[in-house]
Structure formats: C-alpha cells, structure tokens
Amino acid sequence: MSDRTAAPAPRRLREWEQRVEVPLLAASLLFLAGYAVRVLAPAGAGFWRDLAAALVGAVWLLFVLDYGVRVRLSGLGRRFVRSHGLDTLVVLLPLLRPLRVVHLYTAVQQRREHPRLSLYARVMAYAGVAAVLLGFAASLAVYQQERDAPGASIRTFGDAVWWACATLTTVGYGDATPVTPAGRVVAVGLMACGLGLLGAVTGSFSSWLIQVFSREDERRPPAGG
C-alpha cells in the first residue's frame, strides 16, 4: 500500500514544477530587482533600502517554501538534498537561480528520441538570458563587497559589470580584480557558472548542427539512384 502511494510522487512533483515555473521566474526577477535596489540605492534612501530588504526576504521565503514542497512531493526525504544539489544551492544562494536552465539542457540531452530543433534553440536562448542575469547578479555582489575595500580596482558599478563580462566569457583581462575574500568567492563562483552556461550553449549548438546535417543527409537521394 505504501508503494502505491509513493509511486505517483514524481508525477506530482513534475506537475508542481510546471505550475510554479513561471511564478517563480517572476519571483526571481523581483528578488534580483530588490537586491539591486539594496546595493545601488544612495545612502540617503533608507526607506527604499528597507523596502528592498523586505522584498528580498519575502521572495527568499517563497523559494524555501517551494523547496519544501519539492522535497515532500519527491518522496525522497533527505535524499532529495543530495540528488538535487543544484536546487539546494539555489535556495541557499538565490542569486544563482538562473543556473536552473542547466536542468532544461540536461532534460533535452537525456530524451530517448531526437528532440525537436526548436528545443535546442530554446535552450540556447534560456542559457543566454541566464548568463545575462547571472552576470548582473555577480556584478551587484562583487560591487557590494569591493566598493569600499582598500586597494580595490572595482570602485563603480560599471567596473563591476566590466569585470563580470570579462570573467563570465573567460576572457579575464585582469584590469579589474576583486581583492576581498567575499569578492573572490563570487569570482570563483562566476567562473564555474560561466563554464557551465557556456557548455550548455555550445553543447546545444553542436547537437543542433549535428541534427540539422543528419536530417539533410536523410533527405538526399541515394548516390547512383
């Protein structure tokens, strides 16, 4: 009896994820907007900073609630934390939520049948948007840590954006580098995340090209026929 009740859990989990995907995306944008106001608002804007902090806290609690529901519907209990490491990391660090696009890429790659070409385009588009959001979030985080640090080369938000672009694309000019421990932790995370997102884009693009060429070969008449 217990096996019968536990079996539908993955289906319920998928249904839940489908229902909340768009609302949680909107909540993610609200979280990022609130964090941006918190970091970029001038010192005299105390009311707006407090309002942004309240918004960030409320959205984070929403993420925690969603995570708890996922754990319950999965039927895995504590094993969910180990088997869904990215979901756990996103709850601890909501600024990394754009990385959930990796799930989409993995789902496309694991399909038994060849996925439609439009799915590859969707993965590349999602990964591109995720890279922009992640770079913006990293710019805010490193700017918050570096702007008042002695000897820092990242003094303005523009410097932080330039650093994030160079780091995310693995160019690494070196003209702007974090000097604080927290800023360097953000840099390491952005390097790792940048490699993951670039891998998703290049992998999807390569698979798309292979599938396009395969379909063209199938349409060609046999040689000598």
Side-chain angles (χ1 to χ4, degrees):
M1 184 69 179
S2 59
D3 293 338
R4 291 184 179 180
T5 56
R11 179 180 58 81
R12 297 199 305 269
L13 178 60
R14 290 193 298 269
E15 292 175 353
W16 169 263
E17 290 177 342
Q18 291 174 358
R19 284 198 300 266
V20 302
E21 190 64 30
V22 174
L24 287 180
L25 174 61
S28 301
L29 296 178
L30 283 177
F31 183 94
L32 187 58
Y35 183 64
V37 172
R38 180 72 178 171
V39 173
L40 299 178
F47 170 77
W48 294 109
R49 284 191 170 189
D50 294 340
L51 183 61
L55 177 62
V56 167
V59 174
W60 183 76
L61 289 177
L62 182 63
F63 292 156
V64 172
L65 177 62
D66 169 69
Y67 184 80
V69 173
R70 290 173 190 264
V71 172
R72 183 172 182 82
L73 294 180
S74 69
L76 298 175
R78 295 181 179 179
R79 289 178 296 169
F80 184 88
V81 178
R82 297 191 298 270
S83 61
H84 294 71
L86 182 58
D87 291 329
T88 305
L89 182 62
V90 165
V91 171
L92 297 176
L93 298 172
L95 289 178
L96 298 180
R97 194 165 187 86
L99 289 180
R100 282 185 56 83
V101 73
V102 176
H103 282 321
L104 178 60
Y105 173 70
T106 303
V108 170
Q109 294 298 100
Q110 290 180 346
R111 291 189 57 169
R112 294 182 180 179
E113 300 178 355
H114 291 296
R116 293 175 300 174
L117 296 179
S118 60
L119 288 178
Y120 288 120
R122 190 181 306 173
V123 170
M124 288 186 284
Y126 286 175
V129 173
V132 172
L133 294 177
L134 189 64
F136 180 64
S139 301
L140 292 171
V142 80
Y143 174 60
Q144 184 181 27
Q145 299 298 326
E146 297 288 317
R147 56 185 171 185
D148 297 325
S153 57
I154 301 176
R155 291 293 185 182
T156 66
F157 183 63
D159 294 337
V161 172
W162 170 254
W163 164 84
C165 292
T167 304
L168 192 60
T169 56
T170 68
V171 174
Y173 281 106
D175 55 344
T177 56
V179 297
T180 63
R184 289 177 176 176
V185 170
V186 174
V188 172
L190 185 60
M191 293 174 194
C193 296
L195 289 175
L197 289 174
L198 288 177
V201 173
T202 55
S204 297
F205 185 69
S206 300
S207 300
W208 176 76
L209 285 179
I210 292 174
Q211 190 170 346
V212 168
F213 293 149
S214 298
R215 291 187 177 183
E216 288 183 355
D217 290 339
E218 292 174 357
R219 293 172 184 171
R220 291 177 182 174

